[in-house]
Amino acid sequence: MPRQPDDGLHVAYPGGAPGGHQPFWAHARIDGTALDVLVVLARALATRWVVDDLADRFARSVATAAATVVTAGECTFDLWEEPGRLVCHVAHGAVAAATAPQPDRLRLVDPTATPGGREPGTGIVVEHGPGRVTVMLPVPFG
Amino acid sequence: MTSADDSSRFEQVATIGGLPVRTHDHLCVLYRGQCQRDDLMAEFLSGGLRTGDRCYCMIASDKHQRIADAVSARTGRVPDGAVPGAAGRIDFVAPEGSHLGRGDFVSDRMLQFWDDWAIATFDRDGVAHARIIADMSWAKALVDDDGFVMDLARYETRFTVWASRHPQVTACMYDLDRFDGDVIVPIVRAHPKVWMNGVVLTNPYHLRSEYLSDAETRELTGHAAATR
């Protein structure tokens, strides 16, 4: 079962991850011209933890989510690991300073987001909020 | 060792794939296919010739001429500098002459290579600014070797420390069509900034590496703050 979206993300990693595992976090500003990059990156990260078919599903979900949000203009894209899941967050416009991701505590997921839609048989959860989409993939670590 | 913590040199000094880069930057460039690689290399190196930089281009030897031709087509001049110390020249090197110096890759040996290169380039030759670009395709043959990817990630992480201490910009190029997630993810982790087919990815966790000492992390954090 994935964590609730506003759990203390990465709070267990201040100053470096335990066991030498450096957590992954990639951040970018994107528009509609480079969604293929997101697919490549999401798939690359997911294949580290799950079988290829599931990684493909996650990457496609990320692409769909991004395409949905990016139609309204430039977006921010964040893809990161946290204990037990991979999270991709795509939001319209710049991230406000108050809500921007911080190294010690990622809080990108809007607590007002609608409950996640779980893709049958995959465990992938897609949550839609105003101007933002979050895609989560449970993974066997953490 | 040359120190270049002169804030006047933190301005944009180059572009690659449209991305402005500044002195001390260490970029990962994830490209798709040799046409894109050649364009990116030629852009970066042409700019270096125009600004009088010493350019170091590491790529398989059978690609040297095509890159030289691509640079010449952009600049109208022959890129090879024959005169030691001449500004604005490109030194072409094959992996066997650098990363695979003894037939294998060892991160510490390669980092020592760069220390020696810095002494020769900046201290001995008096070069003011350099550009380094490396096609990392040679790594494909080694990815299944025990410990190789880990050592490569260690090298890339520690190269950022080296880069912060010398007046240069570096782009390490990885082909997305050659490398899968087992390489791409550690490589993205190891770089502060990644150019990926036109998208610029930043890695807020790049300093959280087991390959950096606390002192080095503080040094890089201070350096990043100074160049902001």
Side-chain angles (χ1 to χ4, degrees):
Chain A
M1 181 83 179
R3 291 172 177 226
Q4 291 304 303
D6 60 347
D7 275 0
L9 312 180
H10 276 299
V11 72
Y13 289 160
H21 176 71
Q22 181 186 6
F24 182 96
W25 180 10
H27 171 82
R29 302 188 73 154
I30 59 167
D31 58 26
T33 62
L35 298 183
D36 60 315
V37 169
L38 313 185
V39 174
V40 170
L41 192 64
R43 188 183 185 286
L45 186 59
T47 54
R48 307 264 294 166
W49 302 107
V50 298
V51 297
D52 285 357
D53 285 352
L54 187 49
D56 287 340
R57 292 286 296 270
F58 177 64
R60 283 200 297 272
S61 297
V62 167
T64 302
T68 302
V69 180
V70 83
T71 53
E74 191 177 77
C75 296
T76 55
F77 167 86
D78 288 89
L79 176 66
W80 72 90
E81 291 173 332
E82 61 183 59
R85 65 185 183 180
L86 308 183
V87 182
C88 176
H89 183 81
V90 184
H92 180 225
V95 175
T99 57
Q102 299 297 319
D104 291 336
R105 190 172 179 85
L106 286 171
R107 275 188 173 277
L108 283 169
V109 181
D110 184 351
T112 65
T114 56
R118 189 178 296 268
E119 294 191 0
T122 66
I124 296 171
V125 175
V126 182
E127 293 190 337
H128 296 267
R132 62 185 64 202
V133 178
T134 306
V135 183
M136 289 164 279
L137 172 68
V139 295
F141 79 95
Chain B
M1 183 170 289
T2 301
S3 174
D5 284 338
D6 173 1
S7 59
S8 67
R9 292 196 62 84
F10 290 151
E11 73 275 16
Q12 174 185 336
V13 295
T15 61
I16 187 161
L19 169 66
V21 291
R22 299 180 298 182
T23 299
H24 304 302
D25 277 352
H26 172 211
L27 306 173
C28 174
V29 175
L30 300 177
Y31 66 92
R32 270 245 145 93
Q34 65 179 18
C35 287
Q36 189 176 52
R37 179 201 61 203
D38 293 355
D39 284 346
L40 292 165
M41 271 195 166
E43 173 199 5
F44 187 74
L45 295 169
S46 301
L49 285 186
R50 291 192 191 98
T51 57
D53 286 353
R54 175 73 58 87
C55 300
Y56 182 98
C57 178
M58 195 285 289
I59 189 169
S61 55
D62 63 340
K63 308 294 191 303
H64 290 182
Q65 191 58 54
R66 65 186 289 156
I67 299 300
D69 290 346
V71 172
S72 295
R74 288 170 179 251
T75 62
R77 57 176 281 198
V78 178
D80 238 353
V83 182
R89 80 179 205 199
I90 302 175
D91 294 333
F92 287 99
V93 182
E96 294 76 15
S98 55
H99 296 67
L100 295 175
R102 294 179 195 169
D104 60 353
F105 176 77
V106 179
S107 60
D108 280 337
R109 191 174 69 215
M110 193 58 209
L111 291 163
Q112 182 61 52
F113 172 95
W114 287 121
D115 282 342
D116 296 343
W117 183 85
I119 291 169
T121 300
F122 302 118
D123 299 344
R124 186 193 68 199
D125 293 351
V127 169
H129 196 269
R131 299 185 185 203
I132 299 167
I133 192 161
D135 181 12
M136 304 298 279
S137 297
W138 57 268
K140 176 62 178 174
L142 304 177
V143 293
D144 292 330
D145 291 0
D146 284 349
F148 170 73
V149 173
M150 187 181 298
D151 200 35
L152 183 63
R154 178 181 183 277
Y155 164 72
E156 293 285 16
T157 302
R158 296 202 53 73
F159 188 89
T160 298
V161 178
W162 183 91
S164 74
R165 295 171 177 169
H166 299 285
Q168 54 71 53
V169 292
T170 294
C172 302
M173 306 185 75
Y174 290 83
D175 189 346
L176 286 169
D177 292 334
R178 286 178 184 263
F179 297 105
D180 61 17
D182 286 344
V183 175
I184 296 302
V185 170
I187 292 307
V188 171
R189 272 200 187 102
H191 287 81
K193 194 179 289 184
V194 178
W195 184 98
M196 190 173 181
N197 205 21
V199 174
V200 180
L201 299 165
T202 55
N203 169 17
Y205 281 153
H206 77 275
L207 295 178
R208 297 183 167 223
S209 171
E210 66 270 36
Y211 305 128
L212 297 175
S213 69
D214 289 346
E216 288 167 337
T217 300
R218 284 194 299 273
E219 177 185 340
L220 290 172
T221 301
H223 191 268
T227 58
R228 234 176 249 136

